[in-house]
Amino acid sequence: MPRRSLVGDLPTPALLLDLDVLDRNLARMAGRAQALGVALRPHVKTHKCLEIGRRQLACGAAGITVATMAEAETFAAAGFDDITWAFPLVLARLDAVTALARRATFRVTLDSPDALAALAAAARAAGIAIHAWLEVDSGHHRSGVDPDGRAVALARRMAGEPAVVFDGILTHAGQSYHARTAGARSAVAEAERATMAGFATRLRDAGIPVPAVSVGSTPGMSAVERLDGVTEVRPGNYAFHDFMQLAAGVCAADACAVTVLASVVSHQPGAGHAVVDAGALALSKDLGPDDPARARGLGPLLGGLAGHELDPRLDVRGASQEHGVVAGPEAADVEGRLRVGDLVRILPNHSCLAAALFDHYDVVRGEEVVGRWTIWRRR
Ligand SMILES: Cc1ncc(COP(=O)(O)O)c(C=O)c1O
């Protein structure tokens, strides 16, 4: 019989994915979308992983959302057939867009007359009609048209363009990441809903059909109370959560599915810190919660090789490319505790960025390694 593979036997750095936590997170969000009466179109940029995407479909997802053309191509090649690219249309990728639109229901997103004109020209040249969402700014002020500005005129042009299938309106209220209480997150989510439902009504009143209204983020979905006027949600991070979500109160520690396993490689007596083999290219340099009272460097350590308890004192306090510097508030937190060769687990501030830095997940149940899933992180 093959020997059981254990976390303690893995080469480091490794990205551990707790299968039971993942499955609980997927089921909980699917149930939440169902209770709120909306379809779920998870954002797969969080995991870039076919096995996880398939589990999301098995939980009832109506399709998937991607951030890059490479993600769209990877998932389409694996049979995912309803894909939204929720990113302002990249005109330099129009050849790939038309090629993919021939094989799957591929929905692009745009927020400018220039992008619409280029998309329509490419679709006409290819002899097809391409699905497109109009991106709306519901307060994040990153991309998307101002619903009170030229948005109605652009929607009318999209709906009237024969080479484009107007899918409806889409937004991402990313300002939910700055909300520090459930009440504040609920208010952001309600403003997102009200902006989009109100804008859809205005378009319909102007004679423009709006087939779908798409919103969503993980913090928003954790607190939203109603979604009338919305047809689908696109949370992504909920599959894993991370220290940012935990620190903001979006999830509990036992809902964080992804951790980085690292080795202590150096500890000089009296230095007050130890060095691990998980630096910026394992954890990213995302500083995490913007609330200084909650920030813990690049991520806190966990208590052991399995389980969910955070170490109360030790964090990765700095990183260069491959070195992570672990320390606590006092030198004694490291002295006599961390020795060269020890294994530690780190909860990354931002799991989507950490996942994009690894080639695969080591899938674990407790301390047992039960699988290895590829992370498709090409661009
Ligand atoms: C356009 C868009 N939609 C949906 C999401 C999913 O948000 P979250 O990861 O908070 O669930 C993101 C995340 O950045 C996004 O950019």
Side-chain angles (χ1 to χ4, degrees), residues 43 45-46 65 86-87 135 142 170-172 177 216-219 234-238 245 352:
H43 208 317
K45 76 179 171 73
T46 297
T65 306
F87 192 86
E135 187 183 358
R142 180 174 67 180
L170 172 150
T171 196
H172 169 65
Y177 276 84
S217 67
T218 294
R234 306 181 321 281
N237 182 271
Y238 77 93
Q245 306 285 4
C352 311

